[in-house]
Amino acid sequence: DVKVTQSSRYLVKRTGEKVFLECVQDMDHENMFWYRQDPGLGLRLIYFSYDVKMKEKGDIPEGYSVSREKKERFSLILESASTNQTSMYLCASSLGGGGYGYTFGSGTRLTVV
Amino acid sequence: AQSVTQLGSHVSVSEGALVLLRCNYSSSVPPYLFWYVQYPNQGLQLLLKYTTGATLVKGINGFEAEFKKSETSFHLTKPSAHMSDAAEYFCAVSAGTSGTYKYIFGTGTRLKVLA
């Protein structure tokens, strides 16, 4: 069964900490994505990547960065966590082309205190 | 630019009743359209998708959706609701050009099934 695995289900971090969210897929997908999900706002795209070492900004990249050193791994980095980054973070991957759909991880619920 | 509108953030139906969740899209190119379901504290799972061909698309768990280009709609239906259908549902449209696709999601509709 194909999988997207997010390293943590729940995280609690302090304001100002540097936070790493890890995502690994075992499907050899070219594309990987990070979204955040907030009530009433749906899913908002933070960053995405179409190839190793390649990244593009999504709709809300401020305060975040990403790293993709290997095809199967896509990391989201909160440089200095703030309380307004408390959210559910979802990683997804897909094959190239628009008609395949995403495979999502189970999500990481991050609380910044 | 592509966009998605889901009408109704909360929908309640009785068990056994018809489920209808509405999705309208805007796209400057022929769209790829998707419905996803999210159960509590889980990621999103693909229910069904429309790419090309038949406009009535069948998915998992008895759901189906019809692509209506003239109405720019892709509503999700199920003839008879089950308690297990209670979840949040997201409509999505693809955006971008060849090799650079990403999806735009609606804000979601939470379905409640009443016994």
Side-chain angles (χ1 to χ4, degrees):
Chain A
D1 197 15
V2 295
K3 273 188 177 177
V4 175
T5 302
Q6 296 184 230
S7 54
S8 304
R9 291 299 305 274
Y10 299 94
L11 274 180
V12 180
K13 296 293 182 180
R14 295 193 180 277
T15 301
E17 275 193 80
K18 190 169 187 176
V19 180
F20 293 86
L21 303 183
E22 305 288 345
C23 176
V24 177
Q25 52 98 0
D26 64 0
M27 298 165 284
D28 202 34
H29 284 174
E30 296 88 353
N31 307 328
M32 296 189 75
F33 306 83
W34 276 106
Y35 286 85
R36 66 175 281 176
Q37 180 181 13
D38 300 286
L41 298 178
L43 278 71
R44 294 180 291 168
L45 182 62
I46 304 171
Y47 268 97
F48 56 104
S49 169
Y50 291 110
D51 202 350
V52 176
K53 296 190 184 294
M54 178 273 184
K55 60 185 178 184
E56 287 195 28
K57 293 180 180 179
D59 300 318
I60 52 164
E62 295 78 20
Y64 303 95
S65 63
V66 291
S67 172
R68 194 170 181 196
E69 296 297 318
K70 294 184 177 181
K71 188 176 186 179
E72 66 271 18
R73 186 180 297 271
F74 192 37
S75 303
L76 179 69
I77 304 158
L78 285 66
E79 298 291 342
S80 177
S82 65
T83 55
N84 62 13
Q85 293 179 309
T86 292
S87 186
M88 170 71 93
Y89 290 87
L90 293 167
C91 176
S93 72
S94 73
L95 289 167
Y100 293 100
Y102 289 169
T103 300
F104 280 89
S106 298
T108 296
R109 187 167 293 281
L110 173 67
T111 302
V112 182
V113 297
Chain B
Q2 284 79 359
S3 67
V4 171
T5 302
Q6 291 185 241
L7 296 175
S9 58
H10 292 80
V11 170
S12 294
V13 300
S14 298
E15 191 174 20
L18 171 72
V19 176
L20 170 61
L21 304 182
R22 299 178 185 274
C23 174
N24 288 90
Y25 71 91
S26 171
S27 177
S28 57
V29 297
Y32 298 136
L33 294 160
F34 306 84
W35 276 100
Y36 286 85
V37 61
Q38 185 181 34
Y39 299 102
N41 296 315
Q42 294 187 25
L44 278 70
Q45 178 184 2
L46 182 64
L47 266 181
L48 49 79
K49 63 181 180 181
Y50 169 79
T51 53
T52 59
T55 56
L56 182 62
V57 180
K58 296 187 183 298
I60 62 173
N61 301 337
F63 284 93
E64 62 184 35
E66 187 171 10
F67 171 60
K68 292 187 176 181
K69 184 178 179 180
S70 61
E71 299 177 9
T72 61
S73 68
F74 191 57
H75 301 330
L76 182 70
T77 61
K78 182 174 180 178
S80 177
H82 295 158
M83 298 298 290
S84 60
D85 295 326
E88 191 158 21
Y89 293 80
F90 292 90
C91 182
V93 63
S94 64
T97 58
S98 177
T100 62
Y101 285 100
K102 59 182 179 180
Y103 300 154
I104 306 299
F105 286 83
T107 53
T109 298
R110 188 171 297 279
L111 176 66
K112 185 175 182 179
V113 182
L114 306 171

